[in-house]
Amino acid sequence: MENSLVKLKQKSKLAIDSCDYFLLSNHEVTDATTNPSLILKVLIQSRYRQYVQEIKASNLTLPREQLIRLIIVNFGKEILKRIPGRVSTEVSPQVAYSVKKTVEEAYGIRETYLSLGENLERVLIKIPATYEGIKAASELEKNGVRCNMTLIFSEVQSLACADAGAAVISPFVGRVGDWYKKCGRSWDLVEEDPGVRFVRKLKFTLANYDNTEIMGASFRNIDQIIALAGLDLLTISPELLDGLKGVNKSLDLAWLDGSHTPVKNKTSNTLDRKNFDEVLAGDVMATDKLVEGIKLFQNDSQEFERMILSDDLGKACAAKT
């Protein structure tokens, strides 16, 4: 009997939300997503600390910024050995509000992958969907650099990313629900989950954007994942991938029946600064979660750099745990 994971793979491409590349043999996924936050999680394992220390030892004269990038890209390289699809590698969240620096970071990541002999067609540049991040993605996509826009919480972000030609957008299902729960909202059915409802609506809002895939992200439970079966992509933690193997739930695909009305024409003003800011400001949840998400990414990025650059990585990891 097919479990829910097998059924899901028949309807959506799956990505793993982890830098634990030794786990990939246990999960038949297509793509993967990475960031410093995820690398931090695996550094509790000695084999990953040793891997990082070997990279550091081989690049003692490399400038700090380039060393950090090299370590992150090497994780991506190891992941690419074990999946057939693409890996998303994130620009530093410290540049989330700078178009110029985001573009420079993106090319730096690509150059590092290229120096390691990787096929750039298998690399997505992950960029926070601030106004500046979206403008940077527009410039990058015009030059053939495929982007995965992260921290998506609103329709205006999604439309602006699609208008910019982004290859992938990643709406954060769980974090949307988290915000409403914090405000006192509750729901009994997964179909009523604000995060699920938001992403389901996006499927039809972006129906005419053939070149932009939607990748559901930030899942809190199995029901949220199953409720979005049929989405282009789903990026899932190893724990929830394992959980899907242990259940046998039917996939309700009725939400894909086309009863929603897609946006008929591309909106030409989503990349206008004034319009973008006004519409985003009108969505308190999206504004709160975007700012919070960038701050969390920045904090993890800074902690990652401190640990990586410490004289004793093992001791630094022990102190963190």
Side-chain angles (χ1 to χ4, degrees), residues 252-273:
D252 181 8
L253 302 176
W255 72 278
L256 292 166
D257 65 5
S259 59
H260 296 70
T261 302
V263 173
K264 292 183 179 180
N265 299 303
K266 294 184 178 182
T267 53
S268 60
N269 63 345
T270 56
L271 293 180
D272 173 77
R273 182 66 192 246

Side-chain angles (χ1 to χ4, degrees), residues 2-5 222 226 242-249:
E2 293 182 340
N3 59 43
S4 293
L5 183 60
I222 287 172
I226 291 177
D242 286 334
L244 285 162
K245 294 177 183 177
V247 298
N248 182 21
K249 294 188 176 184

Side-chain angles (χ1 to χ4, degrees), residues 183-217:
C183 292
R185 283 272 301 275
S186 62
W187 48 91
D188 296 322
L189 302 175
V190 70
E191 293 80 10
E192 298 170 351
D193 183 316
V196 171
R197 290 169 63 89
F198 165 56
V199 178
R200 283 185 170 187
K201 184 181 177 184
L202 277 187
K203 176 71 174 174
F204 297 92
T205 301
L206 300 183
N208 291 330
Y209 291 87
D210 297 332
N211 295 323
T212 298
E213 295 180 297
I214 303 173
M215 178 161 67

Side-chain angles (χ1 to χ4, degrees), residues 11-207:
K11 301 300 180 182
S12 300
K13 288 191 294 183
L14 302 188
I16 191 166
D17 202 23
S18 175
C19 285
D20 193 346
Y21 51 79
F22 285 109
L23 279 180
L24 290 179
S25 59
N26 300 328
H27 302 290
E28 295 178 5
V29 295
T30 301
D31 289 9
T33 58
T34 68
N35 59 42
S37 306
L38 294 174
I39 298 177
L40 274 175
K41 289 183 179 180
V42 301
L43 287 181
I44 61 172
Q45 300 182 42
S46 60
R47 59 186 174 184
Y48 290 115
R49 290 199 301 274
Q50 181 179 348
Y51 181 60
V52 169
Q53 287 166 341
E54 289 172 355
I55 297 172
K56 288 176 63 177
S58 300
N59 296 275
L60 294 175
T61 61
L62 205 61
R64 168 178 176 163
E65 180 182 322
Q66 293 179 35
L67 176 62
I68 294 297
R69 182 183 299 148
L70 180 62
I71 290 170
I72 293 171
V73 168
N74 264 284
F75 271 85
K77 176 182 175 67
E78 291 298 328
I79 289 170
L80 284 173
K81 291 178 183 177
R82 297 163 170 85
I83 61 171
R86 305 162 297 183
V87 65
S88 294
T89 300
E90 189 173 272
V91 299
S92 169
Q94 316 303 335
V95 304
Y97 298 105
S98 170
V99 177
K100 181 176 182 291
K101 291 181 180 179
T102 296
V103 170
E104 289 173 352
E105 279 258 345
Y107 282 116
I109 290 169
R110 283 169 60 87
E111 287 168 7
T112 306
Y113 270 109
L114 196 60
S115 73
L116 297 177
E118 291 301 321
N119 179 355
L120 295 182
E121 292 183 3
R122 299 183 65 200
V123 177
L124 293 175
I125 304 299
K126 190 156 64 166
I127 301 172
T130 59
Y131 177 79
E132 293 83 1
I134 298 168
K135 289 291 285 186
S138 178
E139 179 178 334
L140 290 164
E141 289 282 356
K142 288 174 184 175
N143 289 306
V145 179
R146 304 319 313 269
C147 301
N148 174 0
M149 307 305 294
T150 189
L151 293 175
I152 298 283
F153 300 103
S154 68
E155 183 175 288
V156 69
Q157 286 176 289
S158 305
L159 284 168
C161 290
D163 279 337
V168 177
I169 66 167
S170 296
F172 276 32
V173 181
R175 294 196 193 187
V176 171
D178 292 346
W179 189 89
Y180 284 101
K181 284 182 179 178
K182 190 174 181 180
C183 292
R185 283 272 301 275
S186 62
W187 48 91
D188 296 322
L189 302 175
V190 70
E191 293 80 10
E192 298 170 351
D193 183 316
V196 171
R197 290 169 63 89
F198 165 56
V199 178
R200 283 185 170 187
K201 184 181 177 184
L202 277 187
K203 176 71 174 174
F204 297 92
T205 301
L206 300 183

